[in-house]
Amino acid sequence: MLLRNYLLSLVNKAKSNNDKNIFSLLEENNKANLLDLGCADGEWTLKLGEAVGTKNLFGIELSTNLASESVKKNIQCVVSNLNDNFPFTDNFFDIIHANQVIEHLFDLEKFINEIFRVLKPDGYVIISTENLASWHNVFSLLFPCQPFSTTNNTLKALGNPLSLWKNHPTTVEKSWCHSKLWAYRGLIEFFESYNFKVKKIMGAGYYPLPSFLGNIDKRHCHWISLKIAKI
């Protein structure tokens, strides 16, 4: 129990650092149209808008209940599946944000093509996701255990006794499960293959060492955040 609590504290610190990384990648623009993909109840979307200085906030959310909470916060949120076409016109958004989203999708080709379509030529995208090559995932394979980032599924946490998903309900929504994970190099090459240029990369989490080391060795950090733009 003490070990699990310690690991949880490291994860929470890494999450906080990852949030700071995302904010640091944003640029002030009070006229920007900002799209948050998987915006949930809109609380995080509002923080993004505040950091950018814009109130032109849009979102896509699968859950009807969560989307309605976003709408109450004056976010123009639509209920839709991110594996489908986005319900927005071409070249509309200055900023597109997706935090801990792409690992849940099964049609990444559709997802990235839709981002390219609705993004303005001079716009940019912030993508943040878990790193399959993080040290805690790598070391779990040596025992051999399931990598931490792959233990959440519709039954229960399987294959890793230290998984934090052990404390979650025995069943979860399918959309919460991780269907595809990237390592550092693969993630970069994926976006480059769809005519995006990676402008900046930041990292957070370096278990069991301090979280800030993840921004020094981004290849083995827990969370990778990318800022990308159209070529």
Side-chain angles (χ1 to χ4, degrees):
M1 180 61 71
L2 290 176
L3 178 59
R4 285 175 58 81
N5 289 339
Y6 173 67
L7 292 175
L8 182 59
S9 69
L10 291 178
V11 171
N12 288 335
K13 179 61 176 178
K15 181 183 181 302
S16 176
N17 284 353
N18 190 58
D19 290 348
K20 292 177 181 177
N21 287 345
I22 291 172
F23 286 134
S24 73
L25 295 173
L26 296 169
E27 302 171 19
E28 290 188 20
N29 182 354
N30 60 12
K31 296 181 180 180
N33 291 330
L34 187 155
L35 174 62
D36 188 11
L37 300 174
C39 64
D41 63 0
E43 286 292 335
W44 178 249
T45 315
L46 291 179
K47 293 179 181 179
L48 296 172
E50 183 178 357
V52 174
T54 184
K55 295 184 178 180
N56 303 324
L57 303 178
F58 299 78
I60 298 177
E61 172 55 45
L62 182 62
S63 166
T64 301
N65 291 335
L66 290 175
S68 65
E69 293 299 315
S70 289
V71 171
K72 292 177 184 178
K73 299 178 176 70
N74 295 319
I75 297 167
Q76 299 182 57
C77 179
V78 295
V79 178
S80 186
N81 191 319
L82 291 174
N83 295 289
D84 299 331
N85 293 330
F86 295 175
F88 298 105
T89 58
D90 297 356
N91 304 314
F92 184 74
F93 292 104
D94 302 277
I95 306 166
I96 298 177
H97 165 272
N99 183 16
Q100 312 310 308
V101 167
I102 66 172
E103 63 269 25
H104 300 270
L105 304 178
F106 60 83
D107 194 345
L108 286 178
E109 182 177 12
K110 169 73 73 175
F111 179 74
I112 195 63
N113 283 332
E114 283 298 283
I115 286 178
F116 193 93
R117 179 182 65 81
V118 301
L119 183 67
K120 291 180 179 179
D122 58 348
Y124 62 92
V125 185
I126 306 296
I127 298 283
S128 186
T129 188
E130 294 193 31
N131 179 13
L132 183 59
S134 63
W135 282 127
H136 71 303
N137 282 331
V138 170
F139 283 127
S140 67
L141 291 169
L142 298 177
F143 284 92
C145 290
Q146 192 73 10
F148 286 90
S149 295
T150 66
T151 56
N152 59 322
N153 57 71
T154 55
L155 296 173
K156 58 183 178 179
L158 300 174
N160 193 321
L162 295 178
S163 170
L164 298 179
W165 283 91
K166 289 287 186 182
N167 293 329
H168 283 249
T170 54
T171 59
V172 297
E173 295 292 334
K174 287 184 178 181
S175 63
W176 297 355
C177 300
H178 292 170
S179 61
K180 193 174 189 68
L181 288 160
W182 294 96
Y184 177 90
R185 181 171 178 174
L187 185 65
I188 294 171
E189 290 184 2
F190 170 70
F191 288 111
E192 290 178 341
S193 67
Y194 285 90
N195 297 315
F196 281 95
K197 178 182 179 181
V198 176
K199 300 180 68 176
K200 192 169 184 178
I201 306 171
M202 302 194 74
Y206 207 74
Y207 316 131
L209 301 176
S211 178
F212 73 89
L213 293 174
N215 207 27
I216 297 174
D217 179 14
K218 302 176 183 68
R219 289 170 173 77
H220 298 101
C221 66
H222 180 186
W223 280 304
I224 303 174
S225 293
L226 305 181
K227 183 174 187 176
I228 62 177
K230 289 182 177 181
I231 295 176

